[in-house]
Structure formats: C-alpha cells, structure tokens
Amino acid sequence: MQIQLGRYDLRKYSAGSKILMMWLLNVVFLTVARFLLTRVDVYGWPRELILNAITLIPIVLLLKNLPAINRKNCYPFLVLYAAVILAFAVTYLLHPEYEYFYVRENYGLQRVFRPDCALYAFLFFSLVDDPDELTDTVKLFAFIDFAYLLVFELLPALLQGYWSDVNYVGETVKRQYSLSFGYAMLFPTIVFMYCFFREKKRYYMLLSLLGLVLILLQGSRGAILMPIIFIGLLAISDIVDTKSKERRKRKIVFLLCVAAAILILGIPLLKLLVKILQLFGVESRTLELLASGKFTGDSGRSVIWNSVWEAIKSGGLLGYGAFGDRPFVYPHHFVGYSHNIVLELICSFGIVGVLIVLVIIAVSLRVIFCCRDARWRGLFIVFFSIASQLLLSLSFWYVWEFWAAAAIAYNSMRPRKRKRLQQNGGRN
C-alpha cells in the first residue's frame, strides 16, 4: 500500500526526514510511556531509565543511518554542542553557587542536554536538505501535534474544569487558562496558516482558525501576538517575491494602509468583538483583558526585566555565565529565566551575548529579505514567528522552534556555499 502525504510518497522520504519525525514524536512517545508506567506503578530510577532510553531512540537511529546521511550536516551541531558544554563547565568552575540551578528538576541541565530537548532541534532539522521534504515533515507533525494537544492537554482540562499550573512561587494552582497551552498551540496553528497561504486548501484555514480560537480562549495573551507577527512577515515575504516594481510598490502601500488601519481601529473592533462573544457566554482571561483595556499589562515581567537589567549593568564584560540570569530572577519568579531572550543572552554572556543578538538579527534579516528560495524563507518565517515568544516568555534553552529556525537559516545558506565552490572550481 502506498502511503502518501499530498503529492509525496512517505516511503521516498530521506533518512534525515524520518529521523527528524522520530525526534518530533518524542513528546507523544513520552506522554504515552508516562501514562503506562503510572498504570503499572513504576516510579523512581526505573521510570527515569525507561524515559531516558526512549529519548535516545532518534540518536540511535541517526548513528545507525549515518552512511545514508551527509555527515557534514551534523558538524555544526557538534560545534554548537561542544560550545554549550564548555559554557556550562566554565560557568560552574567560576560560579559553583549555581549548582542548584543546574541540578533542579524540570529547569536544570537535564532540560538542556536530554536528547528530546530544544537544543537537539538544530541537529535534526539540519539533516534535511530539501525544503519541500522538510515542509511535508513539518506539516505531518503539525497534524499529529494538533491532535496531541487536543487529546492530552485540552480535553483533560475541559473535563476537570481547570488547568493545573505553577505560579511564581512554585506552587501548583488551578487556572481557567494555561500559560503553556497557547504557546504550544502556536506550532500547528501557524503551520496550518502557512499551508493555507501556500496551497489555498480550506481545511488548513479552518484548522488554523480553530487553533487561534483555542489560543484566545484557553491560552495566555502573549501567544496571540505570534500569528500577527507571522502574517506580517509573510506579507513582507510576498513583497520580496514580487518582481514588478509597480506591483511591489502597490503591495507596500497596501500593507502600510492595513497596518495603519489595525493601529487605529484594531483595539475598538477587538473590544466590540469581545463584548459580542461575552454576550454568548464565551469567557477567557485574554477576552477579559481586551475588554478592560489591560491587554498590554506586563503581569510582573517589569520586575523580572528590571532585576536582570540591573544585573547586566554590574555584571562585567563577559556576564555571569550560562544560566547567569537565574540567581537574579529566582527571588521574583520560581522558573528563574528572564522571559526575554535579549536580556537572557546579555546577562549570561555579556559582550558575547550582545554579538549573538546582533548575529540573530542579521541572519534573520538576511533570510527574510535576501533568501531567493521562497521555500526556505517561508519555513524560516514559520519558526521565527513561533520563536518570537522568547521576547515575552520562556528561555531560549527550552523553545525548540528557536533552534529549528537557526537550523533552517543555516540550511538556506548552504546551497550558496556549494554554488560558490562550483564557480571557484571546487576551491575553498
């Protein structure tokens, strides 16, 4: 039987795509494994051993299939991995008082170095050279992830009538919304939006609208901003692809008019929509904030950001090292991270962090405005938009879409390197 996704036969996928899919499916495998282990009453080190073994499956498959994979695709990750290990090792030698933040459960080094964690997205996304094949792999996982979020996260919360979450002092609390669900739902929602713009199939539009509604009703308000960023960047991408100068000018004028209309009419129209929804009994924290005009409140982030900024000003040229923001944030918030990638990088690595931020900006602008392959550019915009949540929440160590975007940016520039080598007769 032929197994197909769109016009692609899944059996013809490269080894890199299959291994990437196995890595992406870790979240499903681990959830099922935790459920089964709980049912058979397995806890402690046997439980952790089994879970860690599951996370190693994609690594084992990668090593087994190395002959079928371009090994050069792995080299950048090995350099990155060595740099990360060195950063944490040097930091610990200079700041042994960070030990608590390195070994703490859920937020320590295990969440950085375990094979199912965000950093490894750079490795597994780097394995796929073909942007069409990568798009189909991402698309397939978006369907799986969407179903996973509905069945394993949304449905239990709706059945019990609340979300279980951890507040700023580390206590488990009941909420009517989830701080993490909205950000998790961004991936399938934005992928479906991208597929709709590419393929013009209505079911993608319906799925993306459902995702947006769920983010609005069950998620936190910050997640609403990422789809807006995506649409804006996709509009810019469309302008970049336009060859006619006259059409490009018209599109730029239209985009500016739309932006102006949103700035002028957006909030009043949103408030009107919120009131209509509330008349029908539709309630959510995000809707309440929109209706009350408090949507832009910082929810205590200003306290965190100010504490990190004060630390940066007295931190010296090289910063405080890896996880260097944790001691300053922890007194204000249990999770310990800065809730802003720029502050986190600069606080951790000082002037090197500033350079990393400048590189991120430069590479992002180059891919969005200068990448001639619309397929790589579109994929980058998808993951860059999702990773933009790092301006408001989480840590770059924990958001796999950030590292996926970095791998896609790297992939998008590799063909140019090969082309230059061919033009130079194979000489470096």
Side-chain angles (χ1 to χ4, degrees), residues 185-388:
M185 185 57 73
L186 282 174
F187 170 75
T189 300
I190 290 180
V191 170
F192 292 146
M193 291 172 70
Y194 177 60
C195 291
F196 172 70
F197 286 120
R198 282 192 66 189
E199 303 176 28
K200 304 297 187 292
K201 294 179 179 177
R202 292 180 182 176
Y203 63 85
Y204 286 127
M205 179 183 68
L206 294 175
L207 288 171
S208 63
L209 288 175
L210 176 57
L212 288 171
V213 169
L214 292 175
I215 291 171
L216 183 66
L217 298 181
Q218 300 294 329
S220 60
R221 55 190 159 149
I224 292 295
L225 300 176
M226 278 70 254
I228 298 173
I229 292 173
F230 169 74
I231 292 172
L233 291 177
L234 205 64
I236 291 172
S237 176
D238 182 58
I239 292 171
V240 170
D241 279 336
T242 303
K243 296 180 180 179
S244 168
K245 291 184 178 180
E246 289 300 319
R247 288 187 63 193
R248 189 180 300 166
K249 288 179 181 178
R250 288 198 296 270
K251 287 183 177 181
I252 291 173
V253 171
F254 176 75
L255 182 60
L256 292 174
C257 290
V258 170
I262 291 173
L263 289 174
I264 296 171
L265 302 174
I267 298 299
L269 289 176
L270 275 175
K271 289 183 177 181
L272 177 62
L273 176 62
V274 167
K275 290 180 179 178
I276 293 173
L277 290 173
Q278 290 177 334
L279 288 175
F280 287 92
V282 178
E283 296 287 348
S284 79
R285 176 175 179 264
T286 302
L287 292 178
E288 291 173 2
L289 291 170
L290 282 168
S292 63
K294 298 179 181 179
F295 184 80
T296 56
D298 63 21
S299 294
R301 282 182 176 82
S302 60
V303 175
I304 295 173
W305 292 342
N306 286 336
S307 67
V308 177
W309 178 244
E310 291 300 319
I312 289 172
K313 290 194 292 185
S314 58
L317 198 61
L318 297 178
Y320 296 91
F323 277 18
D325 58 333
R326 272 46 172 183
F328 302 100
V329 176
Y330 186 72
H332 306 289
H333 201 295
F334 173 77
V335 296
Y337 44 74
S338 299
H339 290 72
N340 181 279
I341 185 174
V342 176
L343 292 175
E344 184 177 6
L345 282 168
I346 297 175
C347 185
S348 297
F349 305 114
I351 189 65
V352 177
V354 173
L355 292 175
I356 294 173
V357 170
L358 293 176
V359 168
I360 291 173
I361 294 172
V363 170
S364 300
L365 291 174
R366 179 178 179 181
V367 176
I368 293 170
F369 288 98
C370 302
C371 180
R372 295 183 179 181
D373 192 327
R375 299 169 300 174
W376 282 123
R377 190 188 330 125
L379 279 170
F380 177 79
I381 287 172
V382 167
F383 286 95
F384 177 87
S385 301
I386 301 171
S388 296

Side-chain angles (χ1 to χ4, degrees), residues 70-231:
N70 184 357
R71 297 185 183 185
K72 292 182 179 178
N73 293 357
C74 303
Y75 294 162
F77 173 76
L78 295 178
V79 174
L80 171 67
Y81 200 72
V84 171
I85 292 175
L86 181 64
F88 278 105
V90 171
T91 300
Y92 183 71
L93 290 175
L94 297 176
H95 298 281
E97 67 274 16
Y98 290 3
E99 181 177 354
Y100 168 74
F101 298 103
Y102 285 8
V103 301
R104 66 190 301 223
E105 188 177 1
N106 297 326
Y107 299 100
L109 293 186
Q110 185 187 39
R111 195 169 171 183
V112 175
F113 289 108
R114 203 170 76 170
D116 62 314
C117 293
L119 182 65
Y120 291 83
F122 188 93
L123 169 63
F124 292 104
F125 273 79
S126 297
L127 299 179
V128 187
D129 292 317
D130 183 353
D132 289 323
E133 188 175 329
L134 182 57
T135 298
D136 277 342
T137 305
V138 167
K139 183 197 308 182
L140 177 58
F141 179 66
F143 282 105
I144 297 171
D145 190 44
F146 190 70
Y148 167 83
L149 291 170
L150 294 181
V151 173
F152 289 99
E153 294 198 18
L154 179 64
L155 186 59
L158 293 178
L159 290 175
Q160 64 189 5
Y162 61 88
W163 293 87
S164 294
D165 212 333
V166 177
N167 65 12
Y168 71 99
V169 295
E171 298 172 341
T172 300
V173 295
K174 298 177 181 179
R175 300 185 192 273
Q176 295 304 309
Y177 65 96
S178 170
L179 292 172
S180 59
F181 176 77
Y183 288 116
M185 185 57 73
L186 282 174
F187 170 75
T189 300
I190 290 180
V191 170
F192 292 146
M193 291 172 70
Y194 177 60
C195 291
F196 172 70
F197 286 120
R198 282 192 66 189
E199 303 176 28
K200 304 297 187 292
K201 294 179 179 177
R202 292 180 182 176
Y203 63 85
Y204 286 127
M205 179 183 68
L206 294 175
L207 288 171
S208 63
L209 288 175
L210 176 57
L212 288 171
V213 169
L214 292 175
I215 291 171
L216 183 66
L217 298 181
Q218 300 294 329
S220 60
R221 55 190 159 149
I224 292 295
L225 300 176
M226 278 70 254
I228 298 173
I229 292 173
F230 169 74
I231 292 172

Side-chain angles (χ1 to χ4, degrees), residues 399-419:
V399 176
W400 67 269
E401 290 91 349
F402 169 77
W403 297 101
I408 290 167
Y410 170 73
N411 283 345
S412 72
M413 292 185 281
R414 277 192 294 180
R416 295 178 180 175
K417 294 179 182 178
R418 288 197 291 268
K419 186 176 181 180

